[in-house]
Amino acid sequence: MKKVFGFRSTLIISMSGLIILGLLISNWISYNNMREKTVEDVNEISRDMVHYEAAKIETWFQAKAKLIDELSNNYIKGSYQDNFVGIARLAKSAGEVTDIFIGFDDGRAFSTAVGDAWVDGVAKIELYDPRERPWYKQGKASNVLDLTDVYPDATTGDDVISIIKVMNDGVALADIGLTILSDTVKGINEPGAISVITDDKGNILASTSKVVVAGTPFRNAGMADIERKMLSQDDMMQDYTLDGVDKIAFAKSITLVNGKKWYLF
């Protein structure tokens, strides 16, 4: 009887051990499945957020591009042929841009800008000749709705980008100050995340990071591989390390004009 009892005890202990082991394995598998599902859900939410914010920026930009497109088209159609200062002021107010400029091949220029070169919105040609400005030359050369690279505004010295379009014997322009883009990325509220807008060359236009700084190339932060992948894709998700911390990057392209893009990271 003792041998039978000993055998039964051993069998019960062994079965109990197998059951406990099975439960541990089952719980471990469940935990891993739950963790993977949680990570997938968080990644999906993060990607959706980036897509949503990129779409907002694209809509915001296209509204300003449409403003200049219509300003040019209406001049070409003959809807206005004078009162350029009044038209510029109205367009600036309607489009919520930094400034509006209208320049002509004969050297005349009209704007919402103020400063020594301007008298009630009319340029002193000896101080401001639009024909000598890179944006004017680019507008005449491209012959379509286009976007400049970042450059310092001639009046304020602040960094701006400009939406431009030729209008027969002139060019219309809307300035967008980079402070507007900075305010835009600051409005993207995602705890623990950074928000960055770059142009299609990887130059940072706006950033909430102290490491990835506006006015520098994205690659300067030690993320050249991330930059290459971001600029080669419309939609990206990529693991990376920043300042010693493992992170996941989500990026989405923002369609502009004339084939140009920005990227929200």
Side-chain angles (χ1 to χ4, degrees), residues 79-95:
S79 299
Y80 68 95
Q81 296 293 312
D82 53 22
N83 191 27
F84 298 115
V85 174
I87 294 293
R89 289 171 177 167
L90 181 62
K92 176 182 176 178
S93 176

PDB file of all heavy atoms in Angstrom, residues 79-95:
ATOM      1  N   SER A  79     -10.029  91.100 -63.857  1.00  0.00           N
ATOM      2  CA  SER A  79     -10.937  91.418 -62.753  1.00  0.00           C
ATOM      3  C   SER A  79     -10.457  92.632 -61.963  1.00  0.00           C
ATOM      4  O   SER A  79     -11.254  93.335 -61.346  1.00  0.00           O
ATOM      5  CB  SER A  79     -11.071  90.216 -61.811  1.00  0.00           C
ATOM      6  OG  SER A  79     -11.606  89.100 -62.487  1.00  0.00           O
ATOM      7  N   TYR A  80      -9.162  92.856 -61.949  1.00  0.00           N
ATOM      8  CA  TYR A  80      -8.616  94.079 -61.350  1.00  0.00           C
ATOM      9  C   TYR A  80      -7.344  94.464 -62.096  1.00  0.00           C
ATOM     10  O   TYR A  80      -6.579  93.624 -62.524  1.00  0.00           O
ATOM     11  CB  TYR A  80      -8.339  93.903 -59.854  1.00  0.00           C
ATOM     12  CG  TYR A  80      -7.208  92.947 -59.527  1.00  0.00           C
ATOM     13  CD1 TYR A  80      -5.911  93.424 -59.312  1.00  0.00           C
ATOM     14  CD2 TYR A  80      -7.414  91.572 -59.419  1.00  0.00           C
ATOM     15  CE1 TYR A  80      -4.861  92.560 -59.007  1.00  0.00           C
ATOM     16  CE2 TYR A  80      -6.381  90.701 -59.119  1.00  0.00           C
ATOM     17  CZ  TYR A  80      -5.104  91.197 -58.917  1.00  0.00           C
ATOM     18  OH  TYR A  80      -4.078  90.341 -58.621  1.00  0.00           O
ATOM     19  N   GLN A  81      -7.156  95.767 -62.291  1.00  0.00           N
ATOM     20  CA  GLN A  81      -5.983  96.280 -62.991  1.00  0.00           C
ATOM     21  C   GLN A  81      -5.361  97.468 -62.255  1.00  0.00           C
ATOM     22  O   GLN A  81      -4.414  98.074 -62.739  1.00  0.00           O
ATOM     23  CB  GLN A  81      -6.355  96.706 -64.426  1.00  0.00           C
ATOM     24  CG  GLN A  81      -6.829  95.548 -65.309  1.00  0.00           C
ATOM     25  CD  GLN A  81      -5.724  94.542 -65.605  1.00  0.00           C
ATOM     26  OE1 GLN A  81      -4.616  94.917 -65.986  1.00  0.00           O
ATOM     27  NE2 GLN A  81      -6.029  93.263 -65.417  1.00  0.00           N
ATOM     28  N   ASP A  82      -5.895  97.763 -61.113  1.00  0.00           N
ATOM     29  CA  ASP A  82      -5.362  98.851 -60.288  1.00  0.00           C
ATOM     30  C   ASP A  82      -5.725  98.568 -58.833  1.00  0.00           C
ATOM     31  O   ASP A  82      -6.158  97.461 -58.493  1.00  0.00           O
ATOM     32  CB  ASP A  82      -5.901 100.209 -60.745  1.00  0.00           C
ATOM     33  CG  ASP A  82      -7.420 100.241 -60.832  1.00  0.00           C
ATOM     34  OD1 ASP A  82      -8.070  99.399 -60.167  1.00  0.00           O
ATOM     35  OD2 ASP A  82      -7.965 101.110 -61.525  1.00  0.00           O
ATOM     36  N   ASN A  83      -5.537  99.555 -57.957  1.00  0.00           N
ATOM     37  CA  ASN A  83      -5.793  99.391 -56.532  1.00  0.00           C
ATOM     38  C   ASN A  83      -5.070  98.158 -55.974  1.00  0.00           C
ATOM     39  O   ASN A  83      -5.622  97.385 -55.192  1.00  0.00           O
ATOM     40  CB  ASN A  83      -7.297  99.292 -56.239  1.00  0.00           C
ATOM     41  CG  ASN A  83      -7.601  99.384 -54.735  1.00  0.00           C
ATOM     42  OD1 ASN A  83      -6.838  99.990 -53.964  1.00  0.00           O
ATOM     43  ND2 ASN A  83      -8.692  98.759 -54.310  1.00  0.00           N
ATOM     44  N   PHE A  84      -3.807  97.996 -56.381  1.00  0.00           N
ATOM     45  CA  PHE A  84      -3.049  96.803 -55.993  1.00  0.00           C
ATOM     46  C   PHE A  84      -2.771  96.746 -54.490  1.00  0.00           C
ATOM     47  O   PHE A  84      -2.728  95.666 -53.909  1.00  0.00           O
ATOM     48  CB  PHE A  84      -1.742  96.746 -56.782  1.00  0.00           C
ATOM     49  CG  PHE A  84      -1.952  96.648 -58.270  1.00  0.00           C
ATOM     50  CD1 PHE A  84      -1.546  97.687 -59.106  1.00  0.00           C
ATOM     51  CD2 PHE A  84      -2.567  95.544 -58.822  1.00  0.00           C
ATOM     52  CE1 PHE A  84      -1.740  97.607 -60.471  1.00  0.00           C
ATOM     53  CE2 PHE A  84      -2.762  95.455 -60.201  1.00  0.00           C
ATOM     54  CZ  PHE A  84      -2.354  96.487 -61.027  1.00  0.00           C
ATOM     55  N   VAL A  85      -2.597  97.900 -53.874  1.00  0.00           N
ATOM     56  CA  VAL A  85      -2.364  97.910 -52.431  1.00  0.00           C
ATOM     57  C   VAL A  85      -3.608  97.422 -51.694  1.00  0.00           C
ATOM     58  O   VAL A  85      -3.520  96.599 -50.767  1.00  0.00           O
ATOM     59  CB  VAL A  85      -1.977  99.321 -51.953  1.00  0.00           C
ATOM     60  CG1 VAL A  85      -1.887  99.350 -50.427  1.00  0.00           C
ATOM     61  CG2 VAL A  85      -0.655  99.753 -52.568  1.00  0.00           C
ATOM     62  N   GLY A  86      -4.762  97.903 -52.115  1.00  0.00           N
ATOM     63  CA  GLY A  86      -6.017  97.469 -51.500  1.00  0.00           C
ATOM     64  C   GLY A  86      -6.252  95.972 -51.694  1.00  0.00           C
ATOM     65  O   GLY A  86      -6.686  95.273 -50.772  1.00  0.00           O
ATOM     66  N   ILE A  87      -5.956  95.482 -52.901  1.00  0.00           N
ATOM     67  CA  ILE A  87      -6.101  94.060 -53.194  1.00  0.00           C
ATOM     68  C   ILE A  87      -5.156  93.242 -52.312  1.00  0.00           C
ATOM     69  O   ILE A  87      -5.533  92.200 -51.759  1.00  0.00           O
ATOM     70  CB  ILE A  87      -5.808  93.778 -54.679  1.00  0.00           C
ATOM     71  CG1 ILE A  87      -6.876  94.431 -55.573  1.00  0.00           C
ATOM     72  CG2 ILE A  87      -5.725  92.283 -54.947  1.00  0.00           C
ATOM     73  CD1 ILE A  87      -8.248  93.834 -55.442  1.00  0.00           C
ATOM     74  N   ALA A  88      -3.924  93.715 -52.167  1.00  0.00           N
ATOM     75  CA  ALA A  88      -2.936  93.009 -51.346  1.00  0.00           C
ATOM     76  C   ALA A  88      -3.386  92.939 -49.889  1.00  0.00           C
ATOM     77  O   ALA A  88      -3.280  91.889 -49.237  1.00  0.00           O
ATOM     78  CB  ALA A  88      -1.584  93.693 -51.452  1.00  0.00           C
ATOM     79  N   ARG A  89      -3.888  94.050 -49.373  1.00  0.00           N
ATOM     80  CA  ARG A  89      -4.334  94.073 -47.976  1.00  0.00           C
ATOM     81  C   ARG A  89      -5.529  93.146 -47.761  1.00  0.00           C
ATOM     82  O   ARG A  89      -5.611  92.450 -46.734  1.00  0.00           O
ATOM     83  CB  ARG A  89      -4.678  95.508 -47.577  1.00  0.00           C
ATOM     84  CG  ARG A  89      -3.449  96.401 -47.440  1.00  0.00           C
ATOM     85  CD  ARG A  89      -3.812  97.863 -47.255  1.00  0.00           C
ATOM     86  NE  ARG A  89      -2.617  98.677 -47.060  1.00  0.00           N
ATOM     87  CZ  ARG A  89      -2.595 100.012 -47.116  1.00  0.00           C
ATOM     88  NH1 ARG A  89      -3.741 100.682 -47.369  1.00  0.00           N
ATOM     89  NH2 ARG A  89      -1.460 100.675 -46.938  1.00  0.00           N
ATOM     90  N   LEU A  90      -6.437  93.130 -48.699  1.00  0.00           N
ATOM     91  CA  LEU A  90      -7.603  92.250 -48.602  1.00  0.00           C
ATOM     92  C   LEU A  90      -7.175  90.783 -48.639  1.00  0.00           C
ATOM     93  O   LEU A  90      -7.662  89.959 -47.869  1.00  0.00           O
ATOM     94  CB  LEU A  90      -8.576  92.551 -49.747  1.00  0.00           C
ATOM     95  CG  LEU A  90      -9.861  91.718 -49.781  1.00  0.00           C
ATOM     96  CD1 LEU A  90     -10.684  91.974 -48.518  1.00  0.00           C
ATOM     97  CD2 LEU A  90     -10.678  92.045 -51.035  1.00  0.00           C
ATOM     98  N   ALA A  91      -6.228  90.469 -49.543  1.00  0.00           N
ATOM     99  CA  ALA A  91      -5.748  89.091 -49.673  1.00  0.00           C
ATOM    100  C   ALA A  91      -5.023  88.639 -48.410  1.00  0.00           C
ATOM    101  O   ALA A  91      -5.182  87.498 -47.958  1.00  0.00           O
ATOM    102  CB  ALA A  91      -4.822  88.976 -50.877  1.00  0.00           C
ATOM    103  N   LYS A  92      -4.223  89.534 -47.818  1.00  0.00           N
ATOM    104  CA  LYS A  92      -3.511  89.178 -46.585  1.00  0.00           C
ATOM    105  C   LYS A  92      -4.496  88.867 -45.470  1.00  0.00           C
ATOM    106  O   LYS A  92      -4.334  87.876 -44.736  1.00  0.00           O
ATOM    107  CB  LYS A  92      -2.592  90.320 -46.146  1.00  0.00           C
ATOM    108  CG  LYS A  92      -1.904  90.050 -44.809  1.00  0.00           C
ATOM    109  CD  LYS A  92      -1.035  91.206 -44.344  1.00  0.00           C
ATOM    110  CE  LYS A  92      -0.448  90.920 -42.961  1.00  0.00           C
ATOM    111  NZ  LYS A  92       0.440  92.000 -42.482  1.00  0.00           N
ATOM    112  N   SER A  93      -5.516  89.683 -45.337  1.00  0.00           N
ATOM    113  CA  SER A  93      -6.511  89.483 -44.288  1.00  0.00           C
ATOM    114  C   SER A  93      -7.293  88.193 -44.509  1.00  0.00           C
ATOM    115  O   SER A  93      -7.516  87.423 -43.572  1.00  0.00           O
ATOM    116  CB  SER A  93      -7.467  90.677 -44.249  1.00  0.00           C
ATOM    117  OG  SER A  93      -8.486  90.477 -43.301  1.00  0.00           O
ATOM    118  N   ALA A  94      -7.678  87.942 -45.752  1.00  0.00           N
ATOM    119  CA  ALA A  94      -8.474  86.752 -46.062  1.00  0.00           C
ATOM    120  C   ALA A  94      -7.660  85.469 -45.915  1.00  0.00           C
ATOM    121  O   ALA A  94      -8.164  84.452 -45.443  1.00  0.00           O
ATOM    122  CB  ALA A  94      -9.028  86.856 -47.481  1.00  0.00           C
ATOM    123  N   GLY A  95      -6.380  85.536 -46.319  1.00  0.00           N
ATOM    124  CA  GLY A  95      -5.562  84.332 -46.318  1.00  0.00           C
ATOM    125  C   GLY A  95      -4.781  84.087 -45.053  1.00  0.00           C
ATOM    126  O   GLY A  95      -4.202  83.019 -44.868  1.00  0.00           O
TER     127      GLY A  95
END
